[in-house]
Amino acid sequence: MTAHVPTARLTGERLLDDMTPAERERAARVEQVLPALRAAAAQADADKAFPVGHVELLREAGLLGLVVPEEYGGLGGTLRDLAAATFAMGTACPSTALAFFFHNTSASRGLLPLEAIDSGLFAADEEPVVKAFADKILQRMAAGVWMANFASESVKSSSANIAIATTATPAEGGWVLNGEKSFGCATGVADTYLVTARIEGTTTADGLALFLVPRSAPGVSARPAWDGLGMRGSANDGCRLTDVFVPADEALTVPGAFVKMLQCSRGSFVGNQLAITAVYVGCAQNLYDDTLARLTGKTFADTGRPIAESPMHQVIIGDMTERLETAHLWLRRQLLLETCEPPIATKSEVYAQWRIAKGSICQAAFDVAVGAFKASGTSAATMNGIVGRGLRDLAMGLVMTFPPERGRLEAASVITANRANELFANQAVTR
Amino acid sequence: MTAHVPTARLTGERLLDDMTPAERERAARVEQVLPALRAAAAQADADKAFPVGHVELLREAGLLGLVVPEEYGGLGGTLRDLAAATFAMGTACPSTALAFFFHNTSASRGLLPLEAIDSGLFAADEEPVVKAFADKILQRMAAGVWMANFASESVKSSSANIAIATTATPAEGGWVLNGEKSFGCATGVADTYLVTARIEGTTTADGLALFLVPRSAPGVSARPAWDGLGMRGSANDGCRLTDVFVPADEALTVPGAFVKMLQCSRGSFVGNQLAITAVYVGCAQNLYDDTLARLTGKTFADTGRPIAESPMHQVIIGDMTERLETAHLWLRRQLLLETCEPPIATKSEVYAQWRIAKGSICQAAFDVAVGAFKASGTSAATMNGIVGRGLRDLAMGLVMTFPPERGRLEAASVITANRANELFANQAVTR
Amino acid sequence: MTAHVPTARLTGERLLDDMTPAERERAARVEQVLPALRAAAAQADADKAFPVGHVELLREAGLLGLVVPEEYGGLGGTLRDLAAATFAMGTACPSTALAFFFHNTSASRGLLPLEAIDSGLFAADEEPVVKAFADKILQRMAAGVWMANFASESVKSSSANIAIATTATPAEGGWVLNGEKSFGCATGVADTYLVTARIEGTTTADGLALFLVPRSAPGVSARPAWDGLGMRGSANDGCRLTDVFVPADEALTVPGAFVKMLQCSRGSFVGNQLAITAVYVGCAQNLYDDTLARLTGKTFADTGRPIAESPMHQVIIGDMTERLETAHLWLRRQLLLETCEPPIATKSEVYAQWRIAKGSICQAAFDVAVGAFKASGTSAATMNGIVGRGLRDLAMGLVMTFPPERGRLEAASVITANRANELFANQAVTR
Amino acid sequence: MTAHVPTARLTGERLLDDMTPAERERAARVEQVLPALRAAAAQADADKAFPVGHVELLREAGLLGLVVPEEYGGLGGTLRDLAAATFAMGTACPSTALAFFFHNTSASRGLLPLEAIDSGLFAADEEPVVKAFADKILQRMAAGVWMANFASESVKSSSANIAIATTATPAEGGWVLNGEKSFGCATGVADTYLVTARIEGTTTADGLALFLVPRSAPGVSARPAWDGLGMRGSANDGCRLTDVFVPADEALTVPGAFVKMLQCSRGSFVGNQLAITAVYVGCAQNLYDDTLARLTGKTFADTGRPIAESPMHQVIIGDMTERLETAHLWLRRQLLLETCEPPIATKSEVYAQWRIAKGSICQAAFDVAVGAFKASGTSAATMNGIVGRGLRDLAMGLVMTFPPERGRLEAASVITANRANELFANQAVTR
């Protein structure tokens, strides 16, 4: 399906104001699905259900292969396209945008191994195995397979963001998986679950492996429905895997493959991670636009002037504007850092920036929601209206992955360590 | 019913740490209803319904007459008792606490007129009429009548906090009311609706009058159900009044009575208003306690140490503690300003302090919720759990009456005007 | 000298609005020195010098014995008097207030040992020695000796707020001191330096001891002049001690005496510490009052309206008012917690509250200064005017002792540990 | 003089990471003067004096013509160069950077009239007069004339940022100026003062005119020395003009010329204004770098670990990093909005963004200073050290032009009005 590319500004261009023609063409595909997303958003939230028609809608629009290279049949988009897409979808239905984001993170499980091969990180005999798995992921996504990415688990580790306890045990012709995956979008919706598990008996990240599990494979079940405060239409119940058999060629179990993938990620560890924050910025943008329209359209009974002109509203509008733009700024910068060629920052700098950016973006987006809430008053403080739903959806950004407070501390730790290293080098020189 | 007064610290004493024995006795009555309130809170929120049994529960405990003087058959409590009660109830079920608060504001419609009489604000021939109405309110409340207080309407005025459009037209033997009351708790639950309306043909506050309307009076109906983001168990749909007849002796229509009442209010205009903020502080207190208990009880899988000890959690706990205590401090101070004898601040100072205090208290309470939300992570970010519900309930405090930004601007206006007046006086002296 | 007690509100009563008649009498003594303090403040700042006449001024007013019990010849004030005094002086000359505060902390070195004796913490044979030293401090202060308190040193410890490296070595008839004391007010001004040092050879806090060193004792010298950003008139250069001999009866070297003193301190470790924050609140109060007076007195050229009425000024005035009152609230509460009888909080709770309070008070006071700075514009952004000086003086509150960020983390640590202990107790019970 | 262009990253590239080769060449000229600026900064602050040698230093480096087109003999730089230059100089000596910024704003008085001519805003007979004046400014700047720009006056208007009261009266062969210019850098240092005045008898902005006044012209005198809190080396006393004669050909008095210039300014009204914020960001960058170096280099006595690793320091470093980067982000974005071709935002959008950006940048830079101050402790809280000086210099950014609170309110006003206009257009369509 080809999209008509309108000459008017596309929604995604509010974030990405320097799109190439090819990017605009892809963004036009996103634009055309927005009305359907917007129309279904309130009901999806109320029903706590991903609108089933959206899978076909996005597949038809070719968007399931948005970031898959053209040689694999995809649209050839990059992280820039993905961020613009999740931002635009976020203005219409943040839940769908979130699920779509997680689908796209699966592409990194194809792309990063290929980069690792190019960088010579794999042994010669490992390369074909790794490549075959990577190709499989990319080809399927381009062909319209929705591939949910299940990594998170509920166990907490003080030193790692995600601790993996799901276990893969060798079995005749493949592997048997057992475990439970918490948060992961498109549970019961995606065609395939991309599951990260640890090979039984291993103790380090070298033992982490990837498995492709059909949604309806025996032993796969949904966890108890998760009654989220926001992002309720993203079908993020998570799943249980009980003695689920996966054939050997549907798995990537080369030792160290996971770690080598991460080494090739330019920014955040899963690759593409910044696009999740674009979901929240899109949601905040929509809430901001809607609030301004309401406040300038509604008037005081006594003066006939727009409510937006009251001193309190002017203060809040000024603050909301500053907060929304701050979210845009951090997001655009991170996108530049992770996509520009040649790179303008070291991997360590990009990482530290991301840890802060994630928190600053999501906090600023949430602050926009709080501003909209205050400015709109009691009558708009409903569960299902755009303001109440926006507040709930944007609250989720405060906890997904990590809160701002954690991001800043982690950045501080990296920066301090880097400085200490520099210091050491300096001392060595002065001897 | 008499309450056993425990020797252990009562919940309300966390706010009010200098209770008199009489206050403790009344607070013990509150303490004994908390378990029932706490047990019903989640369901009330989910059902968007005030638990019907709570009316009888509170009546049995004598609490419907909490702030009614003993000579009227009440418990003789003051604003201090009310704040301690709404705080304590807020730790168990903020919705019930809110509805209970609004019932008690009705008492000011009895007490303030009596004060106005004592202050000689009414003419001799008006006094008996005013006193009869005041007595009626107080006697009924003491006798166990739940009296909802309906003032707010949805029309917005740039100069007033509440604009009254509901109209009372003279009729044979009484008045006929027409209008719509937005926000007001215990709709469909309270025995009597205390309605503020304007006498037809009047244009100033002198034309405002009070009417006692039985819940089931002909012409009284509920507004469409209001699907609030929080405080969902407070039954605050509001009501419609269509040609509702009220007998003359169930109304206070003496011209200027409303204004004269306000002149006797020491702080906020309806009297007792600060106790609404105690609801939010109670809710925040409970969320804080619950969060600390969870975070110190849950441990990291790798180290076995409490999650609460992680650097991020320490930062958030420090911030939450500061925010919660800030809420307590502003609330306690406002309570002192409005209750101490002799007064230690002018009415104008008390008013300005209240405008700021309301916002600072509710903002701080909401900040506690955001901290609890961040600290508790994705798994606790549910719609109905204590964290998600707490965030929703506490968000309501940001908009009820007015947001912090408005309160500070109003205080600034008062302060600036006062200073300008002082200046003028100084100049006059130097001539 | 007896002070005339005016009927008008005393400056200190803006902080302490429930003074007893005796407290008012003492506060009147403070009130009468304020004009002289105010008159000398700008020059003291410019000259970086404590106004020499102030020692005599305060001595004449009897204020050097403000918190010394009447049986020792003092005025019998408590921490309440001290806080009211440093607040009031802070409105006039924060540097003098700061130096006066440190003089008064010396009293705790007399009072706390006496409490420790009463609590039976000392052995029978130690008691007379300890009492003799305590009496000496109190009697001298009451008699008009300015007693500077030197504890801080420049070495940093990760686990302690203050690390003591100054050493006392036994010598014939007494002790010989060597070391350097950083921050400490009234250097070169005070009659006596009260020095904390460690007995040579000891490694724990039990080895800390106190010494009374005359300002002009051989071996005592000033450190290089410290060119502080603010509080420049407090003579806080600190001193060097080079083989300074102290007779045995001018020292308190009973092992463990220091630790036992601390055990008797109700709140902050040195006793009286909260009164230092009152200095900053006083300074902020004065800056606030001055700024409001200027902004309401100055008018726009085009409209003739006070500058204070501009939307921006209204926003800043609202914020400043909130910040100033927040400082007052935390300070009043801490004062209550540390002085009320019977205590309403455990020592651990008082400690945690203090760690947060110190930061919240000083941060809020600094925020008032930043607000005054913004509101007053470029023309008032001078080095020596009241706004620039206020900003500099109040910045010092952010670092003295510890910044807000540290206080909150320390409180979080205490709170978390307490909860963990509670948890343990609970578990034990359920076995 | 030609600068050697180093291959290492230039200071200005920390702000502008996409310099063209020509920009790098110009930035290298800036780089070479930084050591001299840095060396003189502390003394300039202490002496409250612009280092006289800096005029010659910058002239020799060709930098006085940095933003003058090459056809006029300048270096041909743009606003990008100017921002990179003031940022870089800000890391070394903010006062010099500030004075250099104001010199460069004079170029807009040459460039904007030329643009206005190109846009056909002037009548045919006015064009030669306007062009001659514009050429004169640009040629002189390129030739090494330091041209101070005096616009601000001390009178306050509620509706305008700057109100001009200085008057130009016609005289034989020219004009006579009378008035007083407050804030303006390089007083007594610049070769020429570019003075904005109103033609006597006019009442609107059309009557504003420009005059070139030699520093030593009869009737020119300095105002009383202004003892600024920060930026003390920028010689910003301002000047008095008493019957100063200016020949006709040294003035631009074409009616409406000033207003037509403003119409051609893309962003802020004087053109180039954003570069002033780069001064503050440079200062903050230096303070940040210095603080990190100190905190990672200094260790705790007990553990030997860097002080930077303490929990409090980690919190503050995380916050400082976020604040510094936020300043960079707003500044880079504003630069892009004001320089990119084709424009990506309307003039109204650029204006609104600038009003917010100015405040957000300067507030964030100041926050970095407060963080550095807290993290560095009492020992670094000195008047003249890098921390104390940085805090003082960066405080000035809060008031220069306007504070953040005012910028946000002004942006809100523009945004609200734009929305109301949009609304109006919509309504018209639906008729």
Side-chain angles (χ1 to χ4, degrees), chain D residues 382-414:
Chain D
T382 55
M383 181 65 90
N384 296 316
I386 193 164
V387 177
R389 180 154 53 91
L391 186 72
R392 291 188 290 105
D393 283 345
L394 287 167
M396 299 310 292
L398 299 178
V399 288
M400 275 183 178
T401 327
F402 53 85
E405 285 78 3
R406 177 164 180 170
R408 287 199 297 273
L409 284 172
E410 289 178 341
S413 177
V414 170

Side-chain angles (χ1 to χ4, degrees), chain C residues 203-209 256-259:
Chain C
T203 55
T204 70
D206 277 349
L208 296 181
F258 199 86
V259 172

Side-chain angles (χ1 to χ4, degrees), chain D residues 104-340:
Chain D
N104 283 281
T105 61
S106 298
S108 67
R109 305 303 200 255
L111 295 168
L112 292 177
L114 294 178
E115 282 189 49
I117 289 173
D118 288 349
S119 303
L121 295 179
F122 285 107
D125 61 332
E126 293 170 336
E127 288 189 3
V129 184
V130 174
K131 183 164 191 328
F133 185 81
D135 287 356
K136 190 173 288 184
I137 287 181
L138 296 172
Q139 285 157 356
R140 288 187 190 168
M141 288 179 71
V145 171
W146 190 298
M147 201 170 284
N149 193 344
F150 286 95
S152 300
E153 304 192 7
S154 59
V155 61
K156 298 280 179 195
S157 162
S158 68
S159 57
N161 275 294
I162 295 179
I164 303 291
T166 297
T167 308
T169 315
E172 177 70 32
W175 302 84
V176 169
L177 302 183
N178 278 286
E180 184 169 320
K181 291 293 176 180
S182 63
F183 201 78
C185 288
T187 307
V189 170
D191 304 292
T192 300
Y193 296 174
L194 179 59
V195 170
T196 303
R198 51 186 288 277
I199 304 291
E200 193 185 34
T202 64
T203 55
T204 70
D206 278 349
L208 295 181
L210 297 173
F211 301 86
L212 294 169
V213 180
R215 179 184 66 219
S216 52
V220 173
S221 58
R223 296 209 310 167
W226 189 73
D227 188 24
L229 179 68
M231 298 293 177
R232 291 166 63 83
S234 58
N236 52 11
D237 294 338
C239 65
R240 280 203 184 121
L241 305 165
T242 310
D243 293 333
V244 176
F245 178 75
V246 179
D249 61 355
E250 294 285 303
L252 176 59
T253 57
V254 172
F258 199 85
V259 172
K260 287 166 183 169
M261 275 167 53
L262 296 197
Q263 288 173 29
C264 295
S265 170
R266 187 149 161 190
S268 44
F269 84 111
V270 295
N272 294 346
Q273 204 170 358
L274 77 83
I276 197 176
T277 63
V279 175
Y280 297 106
V281 181
C283 180
Q285 178 75 57
N286 184 53
L287 195 44
Y288 175 86
D289 292 342
D290 175 83
T291 300
L292 271 192
R294 264 185 293 108
L295 296 178
T296 48
K298 194 172 175 181
T299 54
F300 284 114
D302 52 348
T303 61
R305 300 300 312 168
I307 283 180
E309 289 183 3
S310 93
M312 172 194 90
H313 285 98
Q314 289 287 290
V315 169
I316 296 177
I317 289 170
D319 289 348
M320 285 173 73
T321 306
E322 193 273 344
R323 297 278 70 205
L324 179 61
E325 182 63 20
T326 294
H328 273 282
L329 291 174
W330 279 95
L331 178 49
R332 286 195 196 106
R333 180 68 179 177
Q334 193 66 32
L335 196 50
L336 181 74
L337 289 178
E338 297 198 17
T339 59
C340 73

Side-chain angles (χ1 to χ4, degrees), chain C residues 5-6 10 91 106 155 185 278 342 389 421:
Chain C
V5 184
L10 300 168
T91 66
S106 298
V155 62
C185 287
R389 180 152 54 90
N421 290 343

Side-chain angles (χ1 to χ4, degrees), chain C residues 88-332:
Chain C
M89 291 184 186
T91 66
C93 178
S95 287
T96 302
L98 190 68
F100 180 72
F101 161 75
F102 275 107
H103 162 76
N104 283 281
T105 61
S106 298
S108 66
R109 305 302 199 254
L111 295 168
L112 292 177
L114 295 179
E115 283 189 47
I117 289 172
D118 288 349
S119 302
L121 295 179
F122 286 106
D125 61 333
E126 292 170 337
E127 288 188 5
V129 182
V130 174
K131 182 160 193 327
F133 185 81
D135 287 354
K136 189 172 290 185
I137 287 181
L138 296 172
Q139 285 156 356
R140 290 187 189 169
M141 288 179 72
V145 171
W146 190 298
M147 202 170 286
N149 192 345
F150 286 97
S152 300
E153 304 192 6
S154 59
V155 62
K156 298 280 180 195
S157 162
S158 67
S159 55
N161 274 296
I162 295 179
I164 303 292
T166 297
T167 309
T169 315
E172 176 70 31
W175 303 84
V176 169
L177 301 183
N178 278 286
E180 184 170 321
K181 290 292 177 181
S182 63
F183 200 80
C185 287
T187 307
V189 171
D191 304 293
T192 299
Y193 296 173
L194 178 59
V195 170
T196 303
R198 50 186 287 278
I199 304 292
E200 195 184 34
T202 64
T203 55
T204 70
D206 277 349
L208 296 181
L210 297 173
F211 301 86
L212 294 169
V213 179
R215 180 183 67 219
S216 52
V220 173
S221 58
R223 295 209 310 164
W226 189 73
D227 189 24
L229 179 69
M231 298 293 177
R232 291 166 64 82
S234 58
N236 52 10
D237 294 338
C239 65
R240 280 201 185 122
L241 305 164
T242 309
D243 293 333
V244 176
F245 176 76
V246 179
D249 61 357
E250 294 285 303
L252 175 60
T253 57
V254 171
F258 199 86
V259 172
K260 286 167 184 168
M261 273 166 54
L262 296 196
Q263 289 174 28
C264 295
S265 170
R266 183 147 163 195
S268 43
F269 84 111
V270 294
N272 293 349
Q273 204 169 359
L274 76 83
I276 196 176
T277 64
V279 176
Y280 298 106
V281 180
C283 181
Q285 178 76 57
N286 184 53
L287 194 44
Y288 175 86
D289 292 342
D290 175 83
T291 300
L292 270 192
R294 265 185 292 106
L295 296 178
T296 48
K298 194 172 175 182
T299 54
F300 284 115
D302 52 349
T303 60
R305 300 298 312 167
I307 283 179
E309 289 184 3
S310 93
M312 173 194 90
H313 285 97
Q314 289 288 290
V315 169
I316 296 177
I317 290 170
D319 290 348
M320 286 173 72
T321 306
E322 192 274 344
R323 297 278 70 207
L324 178 61
E325 182 63 19
T326 295
H328 274 281
L329 291 174
W330 280 94
L331 179 49
R332 286 196 196 103

